[in-house]
């Protein structure tokens, strides 16, 4: 199959693209390389990979890429509420206008899979499933809700991901588990706020794997929303810190120093995606252990340091 992956140079995309190539697909990777080209260096040589460097909002770039594809896996976005709040115009134009353009260009016989998020739920009582009314509280969540509506109108699939964690060629240290590992290794301390908040997690390789399932079972999944995660991976933030402390000693201090603006404090039901044959293969403990192998050697540069 010819598969277009927008955002293929990102955290999930750089795990997904090699899986698709390995499965024998031809991949067109469309990305504006916001985070540089380093993350694609490990697989850019592949003969079945075409790189398109550009902006999804530019029809001259996006139209020919979509035209060649049997399936469009749309991941490109401004990701997370802090990034969206940092540049609201960019977030709106990329996440909403960019998705609108992709939907407009996608034909009835092409597959379309959209990366959405549990941040669309907002504050939820009880266990959130795909029929739970959504009420996103941040611009990020609202842009993803708009994206979902457009993709569903087109008959595509919306994947509402749990918070992803683990190693990827385009590593993100802003994600909760990854950030805690970094703080434990480099600061020796985690100041934890909202430690009792229940969150839901999925390893980045499993987040990438679900796309292969969506392609395989497209006929059964099209037009649907799927929470993507695992019922075995609902944890409080305190649970995460304790799991890291089993392997790496650090000082844990709880204090009311912050707030999650997405109000993520919920359990999520994953029965629907499980019924399609999906289960998580990487546990929290294994993901933490691989993070702790490499995170001690990652140094975020401080240009003001004097030593
Ligand atoms: N990582 C998570 O925990 C998580 C959770 C829920 C949903 N998601 C969704 O999964 C998708 C991928 O997330 P990620 O974690 O890989 O994020 P990421 O920021 O690493 O990847 C996004 C990619 O999109 C590209 N991009 C941004 N604007 C673009 C534009 N205008 N034109 C072309 N490319 C552009 C970036 O360069 C980047 O490579 C996103 O849609 C995100 O909302 C991620």
């Amino acid at each position: 199959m010819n598969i277009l992956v927008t955002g293929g140079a990102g955290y999930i995309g750089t795990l997904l693209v090699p899986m698709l190539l390995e499965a024998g697909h031809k991949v067109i990777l469309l990305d504006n390389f916001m985070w540089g080209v380093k993350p694609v260096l490990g697989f850019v040589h592949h003969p079945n990979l075409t790189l398109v460097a550009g902006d999804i909002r530019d029809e001259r770039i996006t139209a020919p890429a979509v035209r060649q594809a049997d399936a469009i896996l749309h991941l490109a976005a401004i990701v997370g509420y802090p990034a969206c709040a940092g540049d609201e115009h960019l977030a709106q134009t990329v996440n909403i206008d960019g998705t609108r353009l992709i939907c407009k260009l996608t034909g009835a016989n092409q597959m379309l899979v959209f990366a959405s998020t549990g941040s669309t739920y907002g504050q939820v009582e009880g266990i959130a499933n795909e029929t739970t009314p959504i009420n996103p509280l941040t611009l990020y969540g609202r842009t993803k809700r708009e994206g979902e509506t457009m993709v569903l109108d087109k008959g595509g699939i919306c994947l509402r991901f749990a918070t992803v964690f683990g190693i990827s060629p385009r590593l993100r240290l802003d994600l909760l588990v990854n950030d805690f590992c970094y703080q434990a290794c480099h600061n020796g301390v985690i100041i934890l706020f909202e430690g009792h908040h229940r969150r839901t997690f999925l390893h980045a390789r499993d987040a990438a794997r679900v796309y292969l399932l969506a392609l395989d079972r497209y006929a059964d999944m099209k037009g649907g929303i799927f929470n993507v995660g695992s019922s075995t991976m609902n944890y409080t933030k305190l649970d995460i810190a304790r799991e890291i402390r089993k392997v790496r000693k650090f000082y844990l201090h709880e204090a009311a120093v912050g707030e999650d603006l997405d109000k993520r404090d919920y359990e999520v039901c994953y029965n629907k995606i499980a019924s399609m044959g999906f289960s998580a293969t990487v546990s929290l403990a294994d993901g933490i252990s691989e993070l702790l192998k490499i995170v001690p050697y990652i140094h975020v540069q401080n240009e003001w340091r004097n030593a």
Side-chain angles (χ1 to χ4, degrees):
M1 230 191 287
N2 288 323
I3 302 179
L4 170 63
V5 182
T6 74
Y11 177 64
I12 298 172
T14 47
L15 293 168
L16 168 61
V17 169
M19 284 182 194
L20 295 169
L21 292 167
E22 179 75 14
H25 298 294
K26 291 194 168 152
V27 177
I28 305 158
L29 185 166
L30 167 54
D31 202 293
N32 65 353
F33 298 118
M34 254 178 88
W35 308 105
V37 298
K38 258 195 212 166
V40 306
L41 294 182
F43 56 82
V44 73
H45 61 275
H46 200 289
N48 287 339
L49 175 69
T50 305
L51 275 196
V52 179
D55 195 307
I56 55 159
R57 294 168 294 178
D58 183 345
E59 189 161 351
R60 290 164 306 178
I61 302 272
T62 305
V66 171
R67 208 175 301 126
Q68 293 171 58
D70 303 303
I72 297 109
L73 311 182
H74 177 35
L75 285 77
I78 304 303
V79 181
Y81 76 73
C84 290
D87 191 334
E88 295 191 354
H89 177 73
L90 181 71
Q92 263 155 351
T93 58
V94 175
N95 295 7
I96 299 177
D97 300 345
T99 302
R100 182 176 299 114
L101 178 60
I102 291 203
C103 289
K104 180 187 104 174
L105 296 169
T106 301
N109 56 351
Q110 289 173 302
M111 303 183 202
L112 175 61
V113 186
F114 178 59
S116 187
T117 168
S119 294
T120 51
Y121 282 112
Q123 211 153 11
V124 171
E125 296 297 326
I127 299 178
N129 67 30
E130 292 82 350
T131 63
T132 304
I134 60 171
N135 180 29
L137 299 171
T138 60
L139 177 62
Y140 175 54
R142 289 193 293 274
T143 63
K144 287 290 175 177
R145 176 183 59 192
E146 298 259 323
E148 282 190 358
T149 306
M150 293 184 265
V151 169
L152 292 177
D153 276 354
K154 212 61 207 189
I157 298 172
C158 297
L159 303 174
R160 271 188 199 153
F161 285 108
T163 297
V164 182
F165 67 97
I167 296 295
S168 147
R170 171 353 218 182
L171 186 55
R172 284 182 55 192
L173 288 176
D174 59 311
L175 294 162
L176 192 126
V177 178
N178 300 3
D179 172 48
F180 279 13
C181 286
Y182 184 87
Q183 290 190 53
C185 293
H186 289 275
N187 307 335
V189 59
I190 294 180
I191 314 268
L192 183 64
F193 61 88
E194 297 176 337
H196 58 283
H197 276 204
R198 292 156 308 146
R199 296 280 299 270
T200 176
F201 299 91
L202 182 70
H203 193 276
R205 287 196 295 279
D206 285 325
R209 274 181 52 246
V210 78
Y211 283 95
L212 291 140
L213 176 81
L215 293 171
D216 264 8
R217 302 220 44 190
Y218 195 82
D220 304 313
M221 291 174 69
K222 69 179 183 190
I225 297 173
F226 292 82
N227 289 330
V228 182
S230 165
S231 55
T232 61
M233 291 223 253
N234 289 310
Y235 294 100
T236 66
K237 290 169 71 176
L238 188 57
D239 292 335
I240 301 292
R242 287 185 174 144
E243 194 66 36
I244 297 169
R245 208 158 54 168
K246 285 184 191 163
V247 195
R248 178 99 188 186
K249 296 296 162 221
F250 62 89
Y251 177 68
L252 177 62
H253 180 72
E254 289 197 68
V257 292
E259 179 189 7
D260 174 25
L261 297 184
D262 277 328
K263 298 285 172 224
R264 286 163 295 185
D265 177 16
Y266 48 53
E267 217 171 284
V268 175
C269 170
Y270 295 108
N271 292 347
K272 193 173 171 190
I273 193 72
S275 75
M276 291 293 132
F278 181 76
S279 59
T281 60
V282 187
S283 67
L284 179 68
D286 287 347
I288 286 173
S289 132
E290 71 183 31
L291 278 159
L292 293 179
K293 265 193 209 168
I294 194 70
V295 164
Y297 310 104
I298 294 173
H299 297 281
V300 175
Q301 293 295 322
N302 167 6
E303 62 175 310
W304 305 110
R305 77 195 184 284
N306 63 353

